Amino acid sequence: SQAWLVRMAERPAMKYEPQLQKAAHTLKPILQLLADSRVLGGTAQLTFYSKDELLQEVERDTKVLNKDERLLIKQALLYQDVLVRDIMIPRSVLTTVEENETIGPLLLDRLHKSGHSRFPVIKDDLDHVVGVLYMHELVPLDPKAKKVSDAMSRKVYYVHQDKKLDHVLQAFLRTKHHLFMVVNEFEEVMGVVSIEDVLETIIGRKIVDEFDQYEDLRAVAKLAADERRKARDI
C-alpha cells in the first residue's frame, strides 16, 4: 500500500535515505496505477482483483519501466508476505562476542573478517544476549576501555521469527535500533535481522556503499566509470 512507502520516505535512517528516495521515485508509477486503476503506459481502464494480476501487468510492461524498476516494484509488492525467519542470519553462522573479551587486534581482525558491523554480545551463550557491539564505536574508543562490556550498547531488542517484514521495519524506525535478535515461541534466539536485510529484500539487491568499501583512489575512479558505462548501455 501507499502507507508503508510514505512512512519509509518520511522517517528513514539517514544512512539509507538515498536508497529509499530512489525506491519512492521508482514506485511512483505503480502507486498512480493503484490509485486510478489505469494500465501503465496506456489509457485503458483495468481493475485488479488480486496482487498476482497486478504483478503480471507489471511484468508485461516493458515500455514505461526498465528491468530494475520492474524488480523493485515486484519486491515492494511482495515484501509484506515475507517473514523475518526467511531473511534472518541464523544463529549457526552468527558472529558473536563475549562481554568479557579483551578489545585488541585479534578481536578486531575477527570482527572485520566477518563482513558485518554489528554483533550480539553474549554472556556464556546466544540465549543470553546482554548488548550489541558496533564496529564504528571501536574507532574513537576510550583508551581506558579494555573489555567489550566497556564499549557495547546495552540496549537489546527482540522480534519474533514469524512476524512479517512490515512489522520489523516499523520497529526499526520507531526504536532507531538497526539490529534485532530473532526469537521463537520458546524465547530461544534463532538468529538476527538487520535493517539492511529488510531493505535489501524490498529493493531486491544488496546494499553496498562502494565508496566506503574501497579506499584505493584508482578503484573508486574505475567504479564510477563502470557506472557511467552501464547507464549509457541501458
Side-chain angles (χ1 to χ4, degrees):
S1 67
Q2 295 188 38
W4 71 266
L5 182 61
V6 172
R7 291 195 298 269
M8 283 199 302
E10 290 180 346
R11 302 173 58 195
M14 183 176 297
K15 178 178 177 182
Y16 305 108
E17 187 173 358
Q19 288 89 351
L20 293 174
Q21 287 180 341
K22 182 178 180 180
H25 177 75
T26 303
L27 286 170
K28 185 177 179 180
I30 202 68
L31 294 178
Q32 292 175 337
L33 174 64
L34 290 171
D36 61 16
S37 299
R38 186 166 295 175
V39 180
L40 288 173
T43 58
Q45 294 295 318
L46 180 65
T47 299
F48 297 103
Y49 294 100
S50 71
K51 187 182 294 184
D52 288 340
E53 290 182 8
L54 179 55
L55 287 169
Q56 290 172 10
E57 187 61 38
V58 170
E59 287 295 331
R60 283 195 293 268
D61 185 277
T62 57
K63 295 180 179 179
V64 176
L65 301 171
N66 62 35
K67 180 179 178 181
D68 289 341
E69 290 169 338
R70 291 198 301 273
L71 174 62
L72 178 56
I73 290 171
K74 179 180 178 181
Q75 294 297 119
L77 289 171
L78 294 177
Y79 98 99
Q80 293 189 41
D81 297 328
V82 180
L83 302 179
V84 171
R85 65 183 177 188
D86 296 327
I87 68 165
M88 70 179 184
I89 300 175
R91 65 182 292 158
S92 59
V93 297
L94 269 182
T95 300
T96 62
V97 292
E98 290 274 356
E99 64 172 341
N100 60 355
E101 279 192 72
T102 300
I103 298 173
L106 291 179
L107 175 63
L108 295 177
D109 183 62
R110 177 165 68 88
L111 299 183
H112 178 71
K113 287 180 178 178
S114 74
H116 299 292
S117 59
R118 312 178 190 96
F119 307 91
V121 180
I122 62 174
K123 183 177 182 180
D124 299 327
D125 60 55
L126 191 54
D127 291 320
H128 296 86
V129 179
V130 295
V132 177
L133 183 67
Y134 297 86
M135 282 291 285
H136 71 267
E137 293 289 348
L138 298 179
V139 177
L141 191 61
D142 187 330
K144 296 180 180 178
K146 302 296 183 182
K147 301 290 185 180
V148 168
S149 57
D150 298 325
M152 71 183 189
S153 168
R154 297 186 181 275
K155 291 183 178 180
V156 181
Y157 293 89
Y158 300 87
V159 64
H160 195 279
Q161 63 179 358
D162 291 331
K163 288 293 185 180
K164 293 186 177 181
L165 295 197
D166 184 59
H167 171 86
V168 71
L169 178 59
Q170 296 307 313
F172 282 137
L173 296 176
R174 285 196 304 271
T175 63
K176 296 182 173 60
H177 196 82
H178 299 153
L179 184 75
F180 281 12
M181 305 300 118
V182 180
V183 298
N184 61 15
E185 62 271 27
F186 304 109
E187 299 182 6
E188 299 170 321
V189 175
M190 305 305 294
V192 300
V193 64
S194 70
I195 193 171
E196 290 98 335
D197 297 325
V198 176
L199 295 180
E200 286 171 358
T201 301
I202 294 173
I203 67 176
R205 67 185 65 181
K206 296 288 288 182
I207 296 175
V208 178
D209 189 336
E210 294 91 348
F211 290 90
D212 283 346
Q213 184 180 15
Y214 298 111
E215 297 180 356
D216 180 72
L217 179 59
R218 183 175 300 174
V220 172
K222 182 179 183 301
L223 177 66
D226 291 342
E227 290 293 329
R228 288 194 297 270
R229 189 179 305 108
K230 180 180 178 181
R232 288 197 302 268
D233 293 340
I234 292 178

